[in-house]
Amino acid sequence: MIHEDASVVVESASLDEARIQGALKLGVDPTDLEAEVVGEEKRLFGLLGRKLKIKVYAKEPMELLKVRRCAGQLLSMMDLDLKSSISPEGLVDLDGPDSGIIIGRYGETLKALEHICNLMVNNKAGSPKVRFDCGGYREKREASIERLAKSAAASAVRRGRPVSLEPMSSWERRIVHLALKDNQEVETKSVGEDPFRKVVVWPKRSPGRQMSSDGRPSGRPRGRMGRQTGR
């Protein structure tokens, strides 16, 4: 697939040389580029060989390739044995002997690398954010968050008061919201500011309670006749 916003036309004697020229202009690795001849011009009397006009274009969206390249450079400077690739889902996927190091505790190191690379490459407002994965971590983390969300919902219903989860990234908060969207006994809301923004799971069977900005109850539930209950 040709990404027209990530292509250049160069003059070169070979496709390999054209990829190198294109990589320097586009800021990606030569192996991330395809090349095709779009024109040919013979030089005077053919003494100097032929000059080709070659279109060089990216195999993947440019932001993905640039972020992956940035990650590779940082990992090399950190002396970590990891290879990067682009997954079918459009993630920068890292894998290798040092996977555990780059994931870190609760994925904090991986999230930090993701943030730094996106900041270095896509620093314009509104630029799409490229997500990272490592050794299937995201799938495992998603399953863990779904279990956490369902446990929080059960606790909120049982105790009759909201349950606040740990601060999470926007991707992780979205997993919580999706995991509980069909649960008729609770509702979810994100509160706070990044990087401390979190999800609060609220039991629907306490209609008299209101939630404050930090996810805590700001009032006591009322009974049917308007009396304050002891719950």
Side-chain angles (χ1 to χ4, degrees):
M1 178 180 179
I2 299 177
H3 295 271
E4 295 294 343
D5 60 337
S7 64
V8 293
V9 175
V10 300
E11 293 184 352
S12 179
S14 70
L15 296 180
D16 288 340
E17 183 181 318
R19 289 190 186 94
I20 295 174
Q21 292 183 39
L24 292 174
K25 292 185 177 183
L26 295 173
V28 297
D29 294 326
T31 54
D32 291 327
L33 301 175
E34 295 284 8
E36 63 179 41
V37 178
V38 295
E40 180 178 350
E41 180 181 342
K42 291 184 178 179
R43 298 189 179 183
L44 184 62
F45 304 121
L47 296 176
L48 301 177
R50 59 179 186 171
K51 179 172 61 175
L52 301 174
K53 284 189 176 182
I54 300 175
K55 184 174 185 177
V56 182
Y57 55 90
K59 298 177 182 178
E60 302 284 353
M62 186 58 70
E63 66 272 7
L64 270 173
L65 296 177
K66 288 186 175 181
V67 169
R68 191 189 75 168
R69 186 185 190 207
C70 177
Q73 292 171 339
L74 290 177
L75 292 171
S76 178
M77 288 188 286
M78 296 165 69
D79 198 26
L80 294 179
D81 188 2
L82 291 164
K83 301 296 183 183
S84 63
S85 62
I86 295 176
S87 72
E89 297 78 23
L91 304 173
V92 172
D93 193 11
L94 307 176
D95 198 17
D98 291 329
S99 293
I101 296 175
I102 202 60
I103 291 174
R105 186 172 181 266
Y106 301 127
E108 291 299 328
T109 308
L110 184 64
K111 284 190 283 188
L113 179 67
E114 175 183 283
H115 176 73
I116 291 171
C117 290
N118 275 278
L119 194 63
M120 291 176 66
V121 175
N122 299 324
N123 53 12
K124 295 181 181 179
S127 295
K129 185 174 183 179
V130 177
R131 301 294 183 184
F132 281 37
D133 195 8
C134 185
Y137 169 77
R138 287 177 70 93
E139 183 177 353
K140 297 173 185 175
R141 177 62 173 162
E142 182 172 344
S144 175
I145 292 175
E146 287 178 350
R147 291 193 297 269
L148 179 64
K150 291 175 182 178
S151 175
S155 178
V157 171
R158 183 179 65 254
R159 298 163 60 190
R161 60 173 183 259
V163 174
S164 297
L165 301 181
E166 63 191 48
M168 296 179 177
S169 66
S170 59
W171 168 70
E172 292 168 325
R173 295 195 303 271
R174 183 172 182 272
I175 294 173
V176 176
H177 294 309
L178 291 176
L180 300 180
K181 70 182 181 67
D182 295 327
N183 189 321
Q184 300 300 313
E185 296 185 294
V186 298
E187 57 187 355
T188 60
K189 183 177 180 180
S190 293
V191 300
E193 300 294 333
D194 288 328
F196 305 107
R197 193 164 173 80
K198 60 187 177 182
V199 176
V200 176
V201 182
W202 188 266
K204 288 184 177 179
R205 66 186 181 91
S206 299
R209 294 195 176 203
Q210 301 295 322
M211 185 163 58
S212 64
S213 60
D214 62 356
R216 297 178 180 178
S218 59
R220 300 178 64 187
R222 293 182 177 273
R224 291 184 179 180
M225 301 303 293
R227 294 176 300 166
Q228 296 290 335
T229 66
R231 285 186 168 182

